[in-house]
Amino acid sequence: MRHRQQGFTLLEIMIVLSLLGVLLALVGGALLGANRAVLKAQRYTVSLDEMRAAQRFLRTSISEALPLDVTEDDSQTDGFFAGSAQRMQFVATLPGGLGGGIQRFTLGVDRRRGATRFAGGVRAL
């Protein structure tokens, strides 16, 4: 009777190692893809939060417009709100966290170099 050795052959070990390598590559790819998706979602969330903060600031500022003349020339009395399709000007109070006080707001759409951007400025009266 022959005594059979116990253990794995080199071929069996190589097959198992190959399968483990393929499995690790698949798991690593899935983790990398999930990480990219999380980073993209975080960037989108930050962008959305910034947009909401800007909208809230504009909505509050416009709703709190004061009946003061917006023109820089004291001889003109055009009113307390000047606006067109591309630009508007009004007087309102600036929140205390941003310096406070009565300010002249100028908001508009800037179309330069093929891009459309929102542009704004605040100047003390």
Side-chain angles (χ1 to χ4, degrees):
M1 180 183 252
R2 284 171 66 188
H3 184 4
R4 184 170 168 126
Q5 291 183 352
Q6 292 184 349
F8 297 107
T9 66
L10 181 60
L11 181 62
E12 291 171 334
I13 292 175
M14 294 296 285
I15 290 172
V16 168
L17 287 176
S18 298
L19 290 174
L20 280 175
V22 169
L23 183 63
L24 285 175
L26 291 173
V27 169
L31 289 175
L32 188 61
N35 189 29
R36 286 181 184 157
V38 166
L39 291 175
K40 186 176 180 181
Q42 285 176 340
R43 282 193 304 267
Y44 177 75
T45 302
V46 167
S47 173
L48 193 59
D49 288 344
E50 289 172 353
M51 222 179 313
R52 284 183 180 155
Q55 286 177 345
R56 186 173 41 251
F57 173 75
L58 290 174
R59 191 175 296 116
T60 302
S61 296
I62 292 171
S63 69
E64 294 176 355
L66 300 172
L68 299 172
D69 191 15
V70 296
T71 59
E72 294 179 17
D73 185 7
D74 289 336
S75 65
Q76 296 181 3
T77 56
D78 289 340
F80 69 94
F81 185 89
S84 68
Q86 302 297 320
R87 185 172 182 252
M88 70 177 171
Q89 220 175 14
F90 60 95
V91 175
T93 57
L94 193 63
L98 298 174
I102 297 175
Q103 309 285 330
R104 177 183 294 121
F105 290 77
T106 303
L107 308 171
V109 178
D110 186 12
R111 297 174 194 247
R112 290 189 209 167
R113 293 175 267 179
T116 302
R117 292 182 13 177
F118 177 75
V122 178
R123 200 163 72 182
L125 287 181

